[in-house]
């Protein structure tokens, strides 16, 4: 579990290292606030991918007589936030698209968004968020045909260093048929 007391102490140390006074009015509750925020935005660090799969793993039998092998489930434009592990900087304007081909079991659509949210609440890399989401969806649905694309702005790029404000990063995790059949990739556009 996340040690909020230790986060408070370290944030206080950073304020001092920055040359500020952690006792002044505007800062005196900052360590506590940051610790509380971290507890929320890093909630996913408390769980492995497997545990997230168990948490949101309720599936429904499809119940179709003939399972159509070409039926694709796509959930698009899921808003998520994350923090990059290199700078602990916010990745924002982040949208995930998730697609899979059911193998007789389907997952509730709202659960897909919850999975994306929880996986993103870790110190992350954009490409790792995609592969973590694919791992969880694959474990729950038993399907190897899974794809996740993500588009995001990284504040460590837009607000410092080279300051390219409008740069958006696109990543794709394509597995199974999504990797081999370009026609299926159109669903993620
Ligand atoms: Zn970064």
């Amino acid at each position: 579990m996340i040690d909020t007391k230790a986060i408070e102490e370290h944030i206080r140390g950073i304020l001092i290292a920055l040359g500020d006074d952690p006792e002044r009015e505007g800062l005196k509750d900052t360590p506590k606030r940051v610790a509380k925020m971290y507890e929320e935005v890093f909630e996913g660090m408390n769980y492995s991918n497997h545990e997230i799969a168990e948490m949101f793993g309720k599936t429904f039998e499809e119940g179709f007589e003939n399972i159509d092998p070409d039926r694709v489930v796509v959930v698009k434009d899921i808003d998520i936030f994350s923090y990059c592990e290199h700078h602990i900087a916010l990745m924002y304007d982040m949208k995930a698209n998730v697609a899979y081909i059911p193998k007789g079991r389907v997952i509730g659509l709202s659960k897909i968004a919850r999975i994306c949210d929880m996986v993103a609440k870790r110190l992350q890399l954009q490409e790792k968020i995609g592969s973590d989401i694919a791992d969880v969806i694959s474990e729950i649905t038993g399907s190897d045909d899974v794809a996740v694309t993500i588009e995001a702005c990284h504040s460590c790029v837009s607000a410092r260093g080279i300051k390219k404000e409008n740069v958006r990063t696109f990543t794709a995790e394509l597995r199974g048929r999504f990797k081999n059949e370009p026609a299926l990739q159109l669903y993620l556009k």
Side-chain angles (χ1 to χ4, degrees):
M1 282 289 150
I2 292 169
D3 185 346
T4 51
K5 267 277 159 270
I7 294 172
E8 277 181 40
E9 278 163 34
H10 291 295
I11 293 295
R12 194 172 182 283
I14 289 171
L15 294 174
I16 295 166
L18 287 169
D20 215 322
D21 171 14
E23 303 308 325
R24 74 175 171 85
E25 190 56 30
L27 290 182
K28 70 176 173 15
D29 293 325
T30 297
K32 204 175 236 112
R33 278 191 295 259
V34 174
K36 197 99 197 83
M37 185 180 89
Y38 276 14
E39 196 178 32
E40 183 184 332
V41 301
F42 294 123
E43 186 190 356
M45 302 193 69
N46 294 312
Y47 310 106
S48 65
N49 286 346
H50 174 67
E51 287 167 327
I52 292 173
E54 286 185 329
M55 207 181 300
F56 302 116
K58 188 170 163 42
T59 54
F60 306 91
E61 297 290 328
E62 288 189 291
F64 293 111
E65 290 294 309
N66 299 305
I67 291 169
D68 178 357
D70 286 324
R71 212 157 33 79
V72 180
V73 177
V74 190
V75 182
K76 290 180 83 161
D77 288 336
I78 301 165
D79 284 306
I80 49 175
F81 287 95
S82 193
Y83 287 80
C84 87
E85 66 180 23
H86 295 143
H87 302 91
I88 320 184
L90 185 66
M91 295 187 255
Y92 60 99
D93 263 359
M94 188 178 243
K95 296 228 182 266
N97 301 316
V98 177
Y100 73 101
I101 299 173
K103 292 270 183 303
R105 274 187 291 149
V106 291
I107 176 175
L109 298 180
S110 68
K111 297 289 189 297
I112 293 179
R114 306 271 304 268
I115 290 163
C116 294
D117 199 48
M118 190 61 89
V119 158
K121 286 179 165 179
R122 294 169 172 163
L123 286 172
Q124 275 288 18
L125 296 170
Q126 188 174 320
E127 49 273 47
K128 179 80 167 33
I129 295 173
S131 73
D132 284 345
I133 293 169
D135 284 349
V136 175
I137 299 289
S138 206
E139 179 173 341
I140 293 173
T141 62
S143 173
D144 297 322
D145 305 315
V146 181
V148 181
T149 58
I150 300 173
E151 213 179 318
C153 293
H154 295 218
S155 62
C156 59
V157 176
S158 60
R160 58 163 287 285
I162 56 170
K163 285 196 182 143
K164 295 290 182 215
E165 282 160 44
N166 298 314
V167 170
R168 299 181 64 78
T169 304
F170 181 84
T171 53
E173 176 77 17
L174 304 172
R175 299 186 181 177
R177 290 177 57 195
F178 287 97
K179 189 173 183 168
N180 303 316
E181 295 175 39
L184 287 175
Q185 293 165 14
L186 296 176
Y187 288 110
L188 295 149
K189 288 261 157 63

